[in-house]
Amino acid sequence: MDIRNLNFFNNFSLNQKKQAKDEASKQAEYTTSDCNLNNVPNSQYSKIEVHKMTPISKIEGEKHTLDTYQGCLVGGAIGDALGWPIEFHHMPEIQARYGENGITDLDVRHGKAEITDDTQMTIFTADGLLKSAIKNFDENEIPDMRIVLNSYQDWLNTQKGQIPKEDKGWISKINDLYANRAPGGTCLNALHSGMEGSIEYPLNNSKGCGGVMRVAPAGLIYYKNPEIAFETGARCAALTHGHPSGYLSAGVLSGIIANLVSGNGLEESVDKTMEILKKYEGHEDTLYLLEQAKELAHSDINSDKAIRQLGEGWCGDEAIAIAVYCALKSPDNFEKALLMSVNHNGDSDSTGAITGNILGAYLGADKIPSKWKNTVELNNELNQLAQDLYNKPNEIEDADKRYIL
């Protein structure tokens, strides 16, 4: 995409963004060996300089706290909102608008920093998992994927502006979720089909990041069993994304979140999750990029060059690798990691959202800048959802009225 002047940049329409996202989704779906959008010329990358690795601290002990859960969900929404204004743009255009270092703060309009379909679908993932858990919860068993799929169908209806005739619970009543924020073509097409994709019976060959960017809640609700969390995340993604890099990258995010909540350190959580990943067929591409992310995080390579080596984040394996790199590179500074994760030429809102999920779970909501927590869209609803995920299913207040099957 070539945006030649600032006025055009500022007036870049939602339809144009959706068209660009659909095109990126097609690239991700049909390219099985190389996920980079090679037809897009690389130019200039982020000026954020992180020359040396910040020591990776290790926080011991279980972190099953409300602060952790709120940090994960709100942190993901902040990363999503931070990257949303610059998604589909290259660094020269981004710098023309925001300055030499690219975007450095939330772009607040009408009092809020807008989230995208990444956070919308994360909310509906939580909705489906909670509905399944309230019906029947076993931390050693995969949830009912048909219930999760039904929640995704509810999300699809929000994108069509269709308010449900029957009561679907409190999530479907959130008016702001009915905003269309350039949803991914693969998700729309898969859900429009009315079919249930799975690892065993994939609907398509898509490796796009639309699966991984939405599954952090699986790691929160199944934190006691990271292997189940991993498979739950992967199966949530496989409902719409059929390539192993599309759904195993989602398993990785859920597994990392579960390990963090269980009390493992950041790098230890990544390592433990990589061991789970190796058990799945088709894991090689995702594992390779994760290994690269770790190696780059421990190197002196400039962050913009490191992210360029990992890709642009349009595909699931690239997106999770970029997020892991940024989290490991700046583990104790949420703001620095998120700025690093969005200032590049690719899928900035998704890489920001995933990084925010990981570091939010690692550091907790208290370590997230208040200026961001207070201005991100749906922050109150996300905090309430975090509370429900934190509670045991039978302890959720008014569960039968708020999570209706």
Side-chain angles (χ1 to χ4, degrees):
M1 185 177 298
D2 183 13
I3 302 174
R4 300 185 183 276
N5 59 66
L6 186 57
N7 288 333
F8 186 86
F9 180 88
N10 288 333
N11 293 310
F12 194 51
S13 71
L14 186 63
N15 287 334
Q16 287 170 301
K17 286 187 176 183
K18 184 177 185 301
Q19 183 179 7
K21 195 164 194 173
D22 289 345
E23 181 59 31
S25 179
K26 290 177 183 177
Q27 292 281 348
E29 180 169 347
Y30 295 113
T31 306
T32 59
S33 60
D34 182 3
C35 190
N36 291 316
L37 302 182
N38 293 319
N39 61 318
V40 180
N42 290 319
S43 52
Q44 191 172 353
Y45 287 78
S46 173
K47 296 294 184 180
I48 297 174
E49 303 282 344
V50 185
H51 293 292
K52 293 186 178 181
M53 179 76 174
T54 303
I56 298 175
S57 60
K58 181 177 179 181
I59 300 175
E60 301 288 354
E62 184 178 306
K63 294 175 64 182
H64 180 247
T65 66
L66 181 57
D67 183 60
T68 295
Y69 279 54
Q70 290 177 336
C72 181
L73 294 190
V74 175
I78 291 170
D80 180 18
L82 187 65
W84 161 236
I86 60 174
E87 186 185 22
F88 311 117
H89 300 295
H90 289 177
M91 285 306 299
E93 292 88 38
I94 297 169
Q95 290 167 324
R97 181 173 186 182
Y98 293 103
E100 184 181 5
N101 289 333
I103 194 166
T104 58
D105 203 354
L106 289 177
D107 192 336
V108 178
R109 303 178 183 183
H110 309 295
K112 289 291 181 181
E114 292 181 346
I115 52 115
T116 77
D117 59 316
D118 295 37
T119 302
Q120 290 176 341
M121 294 199 76
T122 299
I123 290 171
F124 278 95
T125 299
D127 180 66
L129 292 176
L130 283 166
K131 286 176 177 177
S132 177
I134 290 166
K135 179 182 178 182
N136 180 38
F137 180 69
D138 186 334
E139 63 195 23
N140 298 312
E141 292 184 3
I142 301 299
D144 188 340
M145 283 297 131
R146 293 170 298 178
I147 296 177
V148 178
L149 181 60
N150 286 339
S151 288
Y152 288 158
Q153 291 291 344
D154 292 340
W155 168 79
L156 179 64
N157 288 334
T158 68
Q159 300 306 286
K160 296 186 291 186
Q162 295 180 356
I163 299 174
K165 296 179 180 179
E166 68 275 17
D167 193 347
K168 291 280 191 174
W170 78 285
I171 297 297
S172 291
K173 296 176 184 176
I174 300 173
N175 291 332
D176 288 344
L177 285 176
Y178 286 78
N180 185 294
R181 302 282 168 75
T186 298
C187 290
L188 293 175
N189 291 336
L191 295 173
H192 271 298
S193 76
M195 300 175 66
E196 181 181 346
S198 68
I199 293 174
E200 295 79 11
Y201 301 101
L203 289 181
N204 51 44
N205 198 36
S206 177
K207 57 163 63 173
C209 69
V212 59
M213 52 78 164
R214 68 189 192 223
V215 300
L220 295 176
I221 199 167
Y222 290 99
Y223 77 97
K224 288 186 177 180
N225 192 332
E227 293 201 4
I228 291 295
F230 184 107
E231 185 165 352
T232 297
R235 290 192 175 277
C236 285
L239 290 169
T240 57
H241 288 68
H243 191 281
S245 294
Y247 58 77
L248 291 182
S249 55
V252 170
L253 176 60
S254 300
I256 290 173
I257 298 297
N259 273 295
L260 288 172
V261 178
S262 295
N264 294 305
L266 182 56
E267 187 160 11
E268 184 182 7
S269 294
V270 173
D271 290 341
K272 286 178 176 289
T273 303
M274 288 169 64
E275 291 303 311
I276 299 173
L277 171 65
K278 292 175 184 178
K279 300 177 183 180
Y280 286 81
E281 185 176 352
H283 68 268
E284 290 81 6
D285 289 348
T286 304
L287 181 65
Y288 172 77
L289 283 177
L290 289 171
E291 290 173 339
Q292 289 293 105
K294 284 189 59 184
E295 183 177 337
L296 288 166
H298 285 288
S299 76
D300 290 332
I301 295 175
N302 181 268
S303 60
D304 58 347
K305 295 179 181 178
I307 290 173
R308 181 177 179 176
Q309 290 187 37
L310 296 172
E312 295 185 346
W314 299 111
C315 298
D317 50 1
E318 291 183 356
I320 188 64
I322 291 170
V324 165
Y325 165 79
C326 294
L328 291 178
K329 193 69 176 176
S330 184
D332 297 315
N333 190 320
F334 183 89
E335 185 171 354
K336 182 185 290 187
L338 253 65
L339 294 178
M340 196 188 313
S341 74
V342 301
N343 279 292
H344 57 81
N345 290 351
D347 197 348
S348 298
D349 62 332
S350 294
T351 53
I354 299 166
T355 305
N357 289 144
I358 293 172
L359 270 193
Y362 179 61
L363 297 173
D366 284 346
K367 297 293 180 65
I368 297 175
S370 295
K371 63 177 182 178
W372 286 356
K373 288 187 294 186
N374 296 334
T375 54
V376 70
E377 189 177 23
L378 298 180
N379 57 332
N380 291 329
E381 290 83 355
L382 288 163
N383 282 324
Q384 178 59 61
L385 191 59
Q387 174 76 67
D388 292 344
L389 288 165
Y390 170 71
N391 289 337
K392 294 179 180 178
N394 61 356
E395 295 177 353
I396 297 173
E397 186 176 358
D398 295 326
D400 58 332
K401 297 178 181 179
R402 298 175 60 243
Y403 296 99
I404 300 173
L405 292 173

